[in-house]
Amino acid sequence: MTSPDLSSALSRLRAAAPLVHNITNQVVANITANALLAIGASPAMVLAEEEVGEFTPKAAALVVNLGTLTAPQRASMHVATEAAIEAGIPWILDPVAVGATAFRLGTAHSLLERGPSVIRGNASEILALAGEVAGGKGVDSAHRAEAAREAARRLARRSGSVVAVTGATDYVTDGTGMLAIANGHPLLTRITGTGCTATALIGAFLGAGLDGMAAATAGLAVLGVAAEEAAQRATAPGSFQVALLDSLYTLGDAALARQARVSAA
Amino acid sequence: MTSPDLSSALSRLRAAAPLVHNITNQVVANITANALLAIGASPAMVLAEEEVGEFTPKAAALVVNLGTLTAPQRASMHVATEAAIEAGIPWILDPVAVGATAFRLGTAHSLLERGPSVIRGNASEILALAGEVAGGKGVDSAHRAEAAREAARRLARRSGSVVAVTGATDYVTDGTGMLAIANGHPLLTRITGTGCTATALIGAFLGAGLDGMAAATAGLAVLGVAAEEAAQRATAPGSFQVALLDSLYTLGDAALARQARVSAA
Amino acid sequence: MTSPDLSSALSRLRAAAPLVHNITNQVVANITANALLAIGASPAMVLAEEEVGEFTPKAAALVVNLGTLTAPQRASMHVATEAAIEAGIPWILDPVAVGATAFRLGTAHSLLERGPSVIRGNASEILALAGEVAGGKGVDSAHRAEAAREAARRLARRSGSVVAVTGATDYVTDGTGMLAIANGHPLLTRITGTGCTATALIGAFLGAGLDGMAAATAGLAVLGVAAEEAAQRATAPGSFQVALLDSLYTLGDAALARQARVSAA
């Protein structure tokens, strides 16, 4: 599989400044909004069932994240994804801890029926969503990304979505080809919300008009390269989180092209 | 219009250490609480309809922010503002993205009937609340503050509230006079929650006993001057957010008086 | 009372990497998750009544925090604490602002019946929970920790829980003995969520297998020592919060043993 051309992905996103509608969790809402602003998108967190049907069609992309799922939020997710489909707006699903409870798995399965453009999870989440392992524990992955590569491919084929599995190396597949993104840094696992941030960045690239494979690849490469830059200035999680936001803001197309390690896998 | 005397506003706030009750959104709850602590107020986020009627009268000021509005939160806002009016407690309305949905606009209009001391929004929000543009997109303003100056004046006259429109230059009006606050920095638009922080700071000054015009002017001048100081130490949004909190904490009356650019407009 | 042996507490926690289930408030969810990751635990915020009964038994400890209590969250707390008791999982109660409203006090009393392993609050909260003062204002304590020492002892005796009162000096009691932890820094009172972070850290040590007295002592000593280290690098709240997360990550057993000031009280 040929790597998508990312040489102008960042400038394209910044020119579009896409409005990204997030129905996300309470833990990461702030850092997600800040990451989207840093990269050049315009985030909005609009949650109520009463209004998401009216709001989603104004956005360029929709991000649905199950992190702190509640029954009212599940209802909003159904309305918003329905509106996204009707309006032709791309959307991405982040099935946080989907293997941990029946409530999450049921919600994720019903959302899958609406055909997300992209699904992004860690290995445990993708394995659980694909039905290939029972259970799972918390929000941190108990599996390495490699263990979920083939499950991701099958899930992509079945769902029609691009599937991204994130870990030390990330994998992105449309059910046929598979790309590996070998950027990142271990400190990404020591601050909360980096997976959710990856999802939101992919959402921003979808909103800027990239297709699923290109958006997933760009979002993960951007986060990975920004993390590598941040880790040169910060060696502990508090300062790393600050440096990561700074790097998302200062990163340009040239540095991204030079540092991204994307290959067929 | 004469500028309010801000020469002792900060020391007055810090001596009072007002308890500021916030019914605000999930995205900015943390940064709002930290900004209030940094400036010298005591923040409380108490949300449930079952208790806000008992809690609000203990506070010195109430902040109502529509950012992640839900139906239960709307009910709490009605109870809390009712309690604030009965107890004579000043309150401020932040109509986040009010033009984006009927749910927000309807909620904002019903809250307006309870006569907030101050309304603070960006230009798009003030135009929408004043009924002078239909629609609006996300949470970021599609208009420059100047475009909403006269709408703000009319809204102030009709509502009896002081109205603050924030942007590159901020404007504050009581329906007759108009002040311009020409402080701030473009990085304020690259981190989430700075508008909400402005609202909370105005709430703190209301809680310290300043009237609406003085509180709005002080809150916006403090945020703008702190942003200018932060931008001398930080050039990207992650480190700017950290520096901004630091500046809110270290800013004193003398520096505020020296650096604030408040003028009749 | 002899101080618990903390000489290997941090390495024990990091080896266990306990999954800590938090039902906590919107203001501190992010900083709590980051503090738990920094110290070496694995945080999960799972909130819905529909799933907490299934999720809690997978965790090593449960943290229940009343900060932004709502009726649905109260229902989840009852299900989760029930599940924790049945599964033999330790849990800790943080009765934020419990004296401020009847809704909070009633919820806290009903949770107390399920026998938390540890209760952690500031002096005003512990006095209110013990029934020894009526009222209370916001979330910041109106009393010094010393004022609540004997109330804490009586509450511990009555509830069977270890009770921790935090302030300039912290006190921990099982109803008989009492330990003082004299670490910390005044900047801890100028950022939001440090009390909630203390609670979460105690939860992490409970999840690593320490008993209530040892977990409470370790959690408070770790936060206090980390704050002292952070205050050597940062003198204002924004940078202090960043430095505090860094210190939680870099702190080791040797430094903790050297710097912790734990004594019988």
Side-chain angles (χ1 to χ4, degrees), chain A residues 118-139:
Chain A
V118 182
I119 303 163
R120 202 260 355 136
N122 64 35
S124 294
E125 290 158 352
I126 296 301
L127 285 165
L129 192 59
E132 305 198 4
V133 292
K137 233 176 65 158
V139 299

Side-chain angles (χ1 to χ4, degrees), chain A residues 3-71:
Chain A
S3 296
D5 176 17
L6 303 181
S7 63
S8 61
L10 278 167
S11 49
R12 185 168 167 186
L13 188 158
R14 285 162 182 161
L19 177 63
V20 180
H21 178 198
N22 299 270
I23 303 183
T24 190
N25 72 73
Q26 298 175 6
V27 186
V28 307
N30 183 271
I31 190 71
T32 302
N34 274 328
L36 287 169
L37 284 167
I39 204 66
S42 177
M45 275 68 178
V46 170
L47 304 180
E49 186 182 0
E50 289 85 350
E51 62 175 348
V52 291
E54 183 181 355
F55 189 79
T56 301
K58 301 176 194 267
L62 170 67
V63 174
V64 173
N65 176 304
L66 304 190
T68 50
L69 186 65
T70 60

Side-chain angles (χ1 to χ4, degrees), chain B residues 14 37-39 244-252, chain C residues 187 190 235-237:
Chain B
R14 285 163 182 159
L37 284 167
I39 203 67
L244 182 61
L245 277 179
D246 285 354
S247 291
L248 288 173
Y249 177 75
T250 55
L251 187 65
Chain C
L187 276 172
R190 302 305 288 267
T235 58

